[in-house]
Amino acid sequence: MRSVAGEVFLLQLAVVVLLVAAAVVALVVQARSAGMVDARHRTLAAAGTFAESPGIVAALRSPHPSAVLQPSAEAAREVAGVDGINVYTLSGVTLAHSDPRQIGKHVVGPFSKAAAGQSFTDTFEGSLGQSVVSVVPVKDSDGRVIAIVSSPVTVQNVQGMVNRQLPVVLGSAAAVLALSAGGTALVSRRLLRRTHGLGPAEMTRMYEHHDAVLHAVREGVLIIGGGGRLLLANDEARRLLRLPVDAEGLPVTDLGLEEGIAEPIASGRSATDELHMATDRLLSVNVRPTAPYGQAGTVVTLRDTTELRALSGRAEAARERLKLLYDAGVRVGTTLNVERTAEELAEVAVPRFADVVTVDLLDPVLRGEEPTEASTEMRRTAAVGLQGDHPLYPVGELIRFVPTSPMAAGLADGRAVLEADLRTTHRWRAQDPANALRILDRGIHSLIAVPLRARGVVLGMAGYWRGQDSPPFDEEDVSFAEELTARAALAVDNARRYTREHTMAVTLQRSLLPRGVPEQSAVEVAHRYLAAQAGVGGDWFDVIPLPGTRVALVVGDVVGHGLHAAATMGRLRTAVYNFSTLDLPPDELLSHLDELVAHIDTDEQEWQGITGATCLYAVYDPVSGQVTAATAGHPGPALVRPDGTVSLPEVPVSPPLGLGEGLPMETMTVTLPEGSRLALFTDGLIESRDRDPDAGLTALRAALAGPARTPEETCTAVIDAMLPSRPSDDVALLVARTRRLDPSRIAEWDVRPDPAAVSPVRNACARRLADWGLEEIAFTTELILSELMTNAIRYGTEPIRVRLLYDRSLICEVSDGSSTSPHLRRAEATDEGGRGLFLVAQFAERWGTRYTARGKIIWSEQSLLDGAAPPAMDLGEALLAGWDDEGF
């Protein structure tokens, strides 16, 4: 509102409001006046019509005039739209009235004129309030007045008629006000654009200073109209172009300007900093159209750049150098690969700074190591700009620079070495005189050798070469080359450090992951591990043989990448393997692992805790065909049945490791037909940035479904269908095809809790071993079973069972209902017993205890391979080994 347009808008709006208000008042007053006039006419017409109506005289002379006149008066009142039609005698007695209660009453009114035979209309207070009343005499056939008829209309009803018209009047006034305000706003808005929102004082100040500013600037200003005529020229333009005094108004072509400067001014085309000669001055010309700020035309500005001409070349070169440094910061170091970083340095400098760029690095740098000392023996890592049969050393060649070469000199001094003209210097030729001539013949004539130094360590040398028509390098080029090389050296050193850490992480991870699958008969296994694009991670898998021909399948994941993830993975894998030797159920094993992780996270001596670790542990028993699985925050396995159908068994999911807070874990048990395939995987297989887990599981089901395939074929099909060449997260996949132990290789007996029952069972075992062709180990097996059954009868509880499993080895199992576990100890000299387990340990390859839901199983394993068992000893030697020399 402070602008000129705002003030005009307010003034016009105030005038419109006053006019509309006055019009509304006038209309209301006129309507009320017209209403009163209409009321007078209506009442007079109603009274006159009723007084002249046929039969009124007869009704007045009838015995009961009121009975005749009252209905007629009411009917006439309704038709006429008045408040009443009243009939009075000349003496003032009411014969008919709008209020029937007034009939017969005597009234006194100003009816003298009517009694004298004159009609009149007047306003006075009556029984209905202030009213407009018309009075008309009733005359008989002789012209005598015999009665008086009056017709009233109350003023309130007249005003009510006006009030009913008032909304229309006010609505019309509001519409007129809105239209007027809108029109005023449009006019004011156009005025606002024309005045650019300036206030009165600002416009005055603008016009006061217009001429001063226009003519004081040191830049020529010309305004050219649409017809090519000069409309305005300031003093600087007149001076630069030497215009005549009366130049304004003349066509540009008639100003006598030189053709070189007249053409861009008169053409009307846009131009930016175009250089043109005018007399002896070099002018920078800018042309812009005046639209939409004014009428069609152009504005031309002229700037004298004669003194800047000598500096323009150097400024342009400096700008190009700055842009090249910026591009180097963006393009060099995009990967953490030493060779590629060296190539990026060479690519960014050719051809904008040099015609050929070579990068030579020390061998330790390429291996990710930090050079212990500067050496003139380097390997050519990158060379860009070379074409055909070039004379420079090729990429990959080990170069030994002589002391007089620019590379060796720069390495020794730690500074750039400039050879501005290779044709006039001879020190560099000592490297290879014959090849030096070939270099000169190819037109290469200038060189800058710059050390690649980062964090105080020299990594190699960069060589910038110019040839053909390029100017030789100078001292300014040396400074730029040092700056460019220093930035690239940091990228090379970062790549070297990453190479070292990546090599360490890969080495650590490979040492921690399984190198092969142990031999076992329960499942046929295939596995895949794919490292993430970001490097090594914390995914792992394992296949652990368990007693009783069982096997444990393990898949785990540690969130993150790098050394810490790999080291954490190794610790967890080792822990799982150690816990598995205790032969714990899956839920108990994961509970112990959860407690271990929680302890590691709370250990103040740990550098970094374990966060985001998950694990899936499944145990498959080929005797029963059952698989029991538990998971701690890890995806469950996928099951492919022999017919090719795929299902995802519901495995109760517990929190990730370290977050269980002592809560019990749950397991899933399912019986599998022989030939089923179990697929255990980490979340990197089904999750990615562009795929949610549900879609990943659907794709996995599709990849696993189909006819029977080997585990190797299954792994290949899944990896090809699910993953890109470089996944964003590392992936571990373990596929196991189940087998069942031949029932003919399983033997079981129930044992009565009586020492006399040992012999029959032992004899039955011997016969079964003979059927299996294992007579060679029958004696030791009978001895082992005798000791285990005797211990179960003596110290255990019912039921007692013996089971033999004939697989890769012979497994003897004795189970009972007791949870007490025997342990091996050396008997004292005076002990009468305690040597049974010692004999079992001597004759069995392995032995141990496994707890079940109803007791325990003591098992022993005897190898069936020649030379795999420990040297045999007879019973006497085994018994004597239970004592030491002091026992006798």
Side-chain angles (χ1 to χ4, degrees):
M1 295 305 174
R2 297 181 181 179
S3 64
V4 174
E7 293 183 358
V8 172
F9 172 75
L10 289 178
L11 181 60
Q12 291 181 341
L13 186 62
V15 171
V16 169
V17 170
L18 290 176
L19 291 177
V20 171
V24 170
V25 172
L27 287 174
V28 171
V29 172
Q30 181 181 3
R32 290 186 176 181
S33 175
M36 294 296 291
V37 173
D38 178 70
R40 298 171 67 89
H41 292 166
R42 192 152 29 98
T43 56
L44 182 61
T49 301
F50 191 79
E52 298 293 335
S53 61
I56 189 172
V57 175
L60 291 171
R61 292 177 177 174
S62 64
H64 302 286
S66 296
V68 179
L69 294 175
Q70 181 66 22
S72 301
E74 282 298 315
R77 179 185 67 80
E78 293 180 359
V79 174
V82 295
D83 292 338
I85 295 180
N86 305 328
V87 181
Y88 303 96
T89 63
L90 293 180
S91 60
V93 177
T94 303
L95 298 178
H97 199 276
S98 58
D99 184 4
R101 293 175 298 181
Q102 301 296 327
I103 297 176
K105 293 183 179 181
H106 188 275
V107 298
V108 178
F111 301 146
S112 57
K113 292 183 180 181
Q118 297 181 4
S119 302
F120 67 92
T121 302
D122 202 355
T123 301
F124 64 92
E125 290 287 338
S127 61
L128 299 178
Q130 188 177 14
S131 306
V132 176
V133 181
S134 294
V135 182
V136 178
V138 179
K139 298 180 180 180
D140 57 10
S141 58
D142 297 331
R144 292 178 299 173
V145 177
I146 61 176
I148 298 172
V149 177
S150 67
S151 177
V153 173
T154 63
V155 175
Q156 182 178 0
N157 289 342
V158 174
Q159 293 178 351
M161 296 172 61
V162 175
N163 291 339
R164 284 192 295 272
Q165 298 176 0
L166 189 59
V168 178
V169 173
L170 293 179
S172 301
V176 171
L177 180 60
L179 292 174
S180 301
T184 303
L186 291 176
V187 173
S188 300
R189 184 170 182 177
R190 184 167 182 82
L191 180 61
L192 183 67
R193 288 199 302 267
R194 291 294 185 181
T195 59
H196 300 286
L198 298 175
E202 293 174 332
M203 292 187 64
T204 302
R205 185 165 58 253
M206 181 184 68
Y207 285 109
E208 286 178 351
H209 298 295
H210 171 265
D211 289 340
V213 172
L214 183 64
H215 296 290
V217 295
R218 293 299 304 274
E219 187 168 307
V221 179
L222 301 175
I223 299 180
I224 311 299
R229 293 181 177 274
L230 179 64
L231 302 181
L232 183 144
N234 68 347
D235 294 342
E236 184 67 10
R238 293 177 182 274
R239 183 185 68 83
L240 294 175
L241 300 178
R242 299 179 183 179
L243 297 177
V245 177
D246 57 347
E248 295 179 350
L250 296 177
V252 174
T253 56
D254 296 342
L255 296 178
L257 301 177
E258 298 180 6
E259 183 178 356
I261 193 68
E263 189 277 330
I265 294 177
S267 65
R269 60 178 176 83
S270 297
T272 302
D273 291 337
E274 291 186 359
L275 298 178
H276 298 277
M277 293 298 299
T279 63
D280 57 346
R281 314 299 298 176
L282 181 64
L283 303 182
S284 175
V285 180
N286 290 273
V287 183
R288 294 289 185 274
T290 56
Y293 308 103
Q295 297 180 354
T298 57
V299 175
V300 181
T301 60
L302 308 171
R303 186 172 63 256
D304 189 356
T305 61
T306 305
E307 298 177 357
L308 299 177
R309 186 176 185 182
L311 300 176
S312 60
R314 298 181 62 184
E316 179 66 19
R319 186 183 69 83
E320 288 295 329
R321 296 288 172 84
L322 289 176
K323 188 175 185 303
L324 180 55
L325 287 177
Y326 170 78
D327 292 343
V330 173
R331 294 174 53 186
V332 179
T334 57
T335 65
L336 292 174
N337 181 276
V338 175
E339 291 84 354
R340 181 56 191 154
T341 304
E343 292 174 359
E344 290 171 343
L345 167 61
E347 290 171 354
V348 78
V350 176
R352 297 163 64 181
F353 178 67
D355 296 321
V356 177
V357 175
T358 59
V359 179
D360 307 314
L361 297 178
L362 299 171
D363 270 349
V365 176
L366 296 174
R367 297 192 299 266
E369 302 171 3
E370 183 171 325
T372 56
E373 60 182 8
S375 173
T376 57
E377 186 176 281
M378 303 180 194
R379 191 172 300 276
R380 178 66 43 95
T381 308
V384 176
L386 302 176
Q387 296 178 356
D389 185 17
H390 58 84
L392 298 179
Y393 293 114
V395 173
E397 184 169 341
L398 184 64
I399 308 171
R400 295 175 177 84
F401 293 104
V402 299
T404 58
S405 66
M407 302 296 182
L411 189 64
D413 297 339
R415 301 176 59 184
V417 175
L418 170 64
E419 295 288 350
D421 192 351
L422 295 175
R423 293 165 294 189
T424 60
T425 58
H426 300 279
R427 295 179 303 170
W428 68 279
R429 302 186 185 186
Q431 178 70 34
D432 190 343
N435 199 48
L437 294 177
R438 294 179 56 201
I439 292 175
L440 294 177
D441 291 341
R442 290 291 295 267
I444 297 176
H445 57 78
S446 190
L447 166 67
I448 299 178
V450 186
L452 277 161
R453 181 186 294 272
R455 301 177 178 93
V457 178
V458 175
L459 308 175
M461 295 293 296
Y464 301 92
W465 310 75
R466 281 185 181 176
Q468 303 301 329
D469 299 329
S470 300
F473 289 115
D474 54 23
E475 292 296 334
E476 291 186 0
D477 294 326
V478 173
S479 300
F480 174 78
E482 289 179 335
E483 177 67 20
L484 177 62
T485 307
R487 297 190 179 192
L490 288 175
V492 172
D493 190 55
N494 289 338
R496 177 192 65 81
R497 291 169 177 260
Y498 171 79
T499 301
R500 180 186 60 187
E501 294 181 2
H502 180 72
T503 302
M504 294 172 57
V506 169
T507 303
L508 175 62
Q509 186 192 41
R510 288 178 178 175
S511 66
L512 296 176
L513 283 174
R515 298 186 180 181
V517 177
E519 294 184 358
Q520 42 77 38
S521 303
V523 291
E524 179 186 355
V525 177
H527 55 84
R528 293 288 189 276
Y529 175 82
L530 275 73
Q533 188 173 7
V536 298
D539 289 13
W540 91 92
F541 63 90
D542 219 336
V543 178
I544 306 173
L546 298 177
T549 69
R550 297 170 303 136
V551 65
L553 305 174
V554 190
V555 169
D557 186 5
V558 176
V559 175
H561 300 88
L563 284 174
H564 177 68
T568 303
M569 176 269 291
R571 299 172 69 180
L572 293 183
R573 178 172 176 256
T574 302
V576 170
Y577 186 84
N578 290 335
F579 286 141
S580 68
T581 60
L582 301 177
D583 211 349
L584 299 174
D587 54 341
E588 294 184 20
L589 185 143
L590 290 183
S591 297
H592 286 293
L593 192 62
D594 178 70
E595 294 176 1
L596 174 63
V597 172
H599 174 72
I600 293 175
D601 285 340
T602 57
D603 191 351
E604 296 180 356
Q605 296 179 356
E606 288 294 323
W607 170 66
Q608 187 175 1
I610 301 174
T611 57
T614 63
C615 184
L616 170 62
Y617 187 85
V619 176
Y620 174 69
D621 186 353
V623 177
S624 61
Q626 287 186 340
V627 60
T628 304
T631 176
H634 200 87
L639 172 60
V640 185
R641 298 190 179 273
D643 58 359
T645 59
V646 182
S647 63
L648 300 174
E650 292 290 339
V651 182
V653 180
S654 300
L657 298 175
L659 303 178
E661 299 180 353
L663 297 176
M665 296 191 178
E666 301 180 47
T667 60
M668 176 271 302
T669 301
V670 61
T671 301
L672 305 180
E674 185 174 6
S676 300
R677 284 170 289 162
L678 277 173
L680 286 71
F681 51 88
T682 56
D683 56 3
L685 182 67
I686 60 175
E687 296 182 20
S688 62
R689 296 185 182 94
D690 54 353
R691 182 173 62 190
D692 57 45
D694 292 337
L697 288 175
T698 302
L700 177 61
R701 293 170 68 109
L704 290 172
R709 289 180 291 198
T710 65
E712 280 291 338
E713 294 172 344
T714 303
C715 286
T716 302
V718 170
I719 295 299
D720 292 343
M722 299 289 296
L723 296 179
S725 57
R726 293 296 302 275
S728 58
D729 192 10
D730 48 342
V731 175
L733 173 63
L734 182 65
V735 177
R737 182 163 62 182
T738 61
R739 297 169 178 162
R740 296 292 288 269
L741 187 61
D742 189 350
S744 63
R745 293 195 170 202
I746 304 173
E748 294 183 277
W749 297 272
D750 292 326
V751 181
R752 293 179 291 106
D754 184 358
V758 173
S759 179
V761 175
R762 184 174 62 237
N763 294 333
C765 291
R767 289 191 296 271
R768 181 55 60 92
L769 291 177
D771 296 338
W772 288 342
L774 302 179
E775 293 89 346
E776 294 182 359
I777 62 172
F779 175 74
T780 55
T781 303
E782 291 181 37
L783 177 60
I784 291 172
L785 288 176
S786 296
E787 294 296 336
L788 296 182
M789 286 188 291
T790 302
N791 285 338
I793 294 172
R794 181 176 299 176
Y795 303 109
T797 59
E798 295 186 84
I800 302 174
R801 290 182 62 84
V802 173
R803 185 171 71 168
L804 296 181
L805 302 176
Y806 176 23
D807 191 34
R808 292 176 178 268
S809 60
L810 180 64
I811 301 171
C812 303
E813 296 181 346
V814 177
S815 63
D816 65 84
S818 173
S819 60
T820 59
S821 175
H823 60 279
L824 182 65
R825 65 182 179 87
R826 183 173 292 274
E828 298 295 336
T830 57
D831 289 343
E832 296 182 359
R835 297 171 179 83
L837 289 181
F838 180 80
L839 293 175
V840 172
Q842 290 293 322
F843 286 105
E845 185 177 9
R846 294 190 306 160
W847 75 280
T849 303
R850 178 169 81 250
Y851 291 96
T852 64
R854 298 182 179 180
K856 68 176 181 298
I857 298 174
I858 303 178
W859 58 270
S860 68
E861 184 176 324
Q862 297 169 261
S863 177
L864 303 179
L865 300 177
D866 294 338
M873 63 176 66
D874 58 21
L875 180 59
E877 293 176 350
L879 292 174
L880 292 175
W883 286 271
D884 53 18
D885 294 339
E886 297 180 357
F888 293 94

